[in-house]
Amino acid sequence: MWAGGVWRAALSGAPRGRRAQSALAQLRDILEAELEGIRGAGTWKSERVITSRQGPLIHVDGVSGGPGTIIFLGLPLPCLSCCVHLSSTSGILNFCANNYLGLSSHPEVIQAGLQALKEFGAGLSSVRFICGTQSIHKNLEAKLARFHQREDAILYASCFDANAGLFEALLTPEDAVLSDELNHASIIDGIRLCKAHKYRYRHLDMADLEAKLQEAQTHRLRLVATDGAFSMDGDIAPLQEICHLASQYGALVFVDECHATGFLGPTGRGTDELLGVMDQVTIINSTLGKALGGAAGGYTTGPRPLVSLLRQRARPYLFSNSLPPAVVGCASKALDLLMESNAIVQSMVAKTQRFRSKMEAAGFTISGASHPICPVMLGDARLASCMADDMLKRGIFVIGFSYPVVPKGKARIRVQISSVHSEEDIDRCVEAFVEVGRLHGALP
């Protein structure tokens, strides 16, 4: 009888096994068709493998470098005499990193990370409220609040998490949020999670924002949400006008400063400093994973009661492991270096202008203005991808951006200028663009 029971179980299981295999085969067919559609549209995103540390000069698996150049591992500041200069006879010039200040491989930043690793360990094996808060976490939060001239700050694993945690914890069905249509995906996703009434205004369109604010007057809180600097287009939000409208209609202002913290404004505080509205922006979210060392981590800074509420209710904070000590140590040292001198900010303005003016003189259309994000607008996704591949063959690492990262018909190659690019690096990049642009018919 036992044997019969096993036999009956095996028989009854066979159809389920066949159904499972059939479902898996169906899934594979669906996925392969979807992937083939991405390839066919020319929007496939490959991942190039870097075999060196991040910097203006990198090494890429399977790609031989172009002419020799120099790596400047550090800020071009008089006080940083310990900067390391390494020469190389080959390598690829990287023009698409968020390494705006060149701190990803700065020797003092690396050393601070090593020291934190030795002193505080590899990780916390915990979230913050259980046993995941160390003195270095609290010290960095206090330093970030001082840097932004705010009351308090809270760390997250990423700024994506900071944006995912803010709106749901702060806003209720009684409230309203008004968002620029081209805000970063993390802001869009964060807003989707909250139960507030949602308004989307046209990109940088203050008349449309005002109309939406008028519609939202019946709600308890009204929060205007915008990127400070928009990562795909390199344009900057008109914060003076936004803050004026917010004051006029009793709204609060939230700004995502991921592509501004460290290098926009006279002392690198961001777009609110650049435009003179630091005292009018209520909440700032930003990242440690770009200009401030480039490793990982994000944060919210603003009123102390808000930060306290986020510690109690923000799900990405409550249910994610604490930032690793090495990451905290690196970011803290990066912030120290930035606050010691603002010379780095001045150097970036001239380098950005050099690239933009030379590219426009060659006949390219560069989106945005005065930001080190310099999108070379091409329109066609396949053209952007092919040109980026040919740029790599000439020793320049850039990436084509296409749908769904940017709207259809607005494909581009996004170039990003770093403080550690030399004028020769910039000129070499422009020359390669001109050569490849003519090869593909993007230039006459």
Side-chain angles (χ1 to χ4, degrees), residues 74-80 83 100-103 147 262-269 273 334-352 418-421:
L75 295 173
L77 304 179
C79 60
L80 300 180
C83 291
Y100 295 110
L101 301 178
L103 295 179
F147 177 74
F263 56 93
L264 289 188
T267 61
R269 263 59 178 180
E273 182 190 45
L335 206 57
D336 289 341
L337 294 173
L338 176 60
M339 290 191 289
E340 285 176 10
S341 171
N342 67 346
I344 187 71
V345 177
Q346 308 307 319
S347 74
M348 297 217 32
V349 174
K351 291 176 181 179
T352 297
S418 172
S419 65
V420 287
H421 285 131

Side-chain angles (χ1 to χ4, degrees), residues 111-135:
Q111 185 57 42
L114 291 171
Q115 182 60 37
L117 183 66
K118 290 169 61 177
E119 186 174 349
F120 292 97
L124 277 299
S125 304
S126 174
V127 299
R128 287 285 296 269
F129 80 93
I130 300 178
C131 57
T133 298
Q134 294 172 315
S135 56

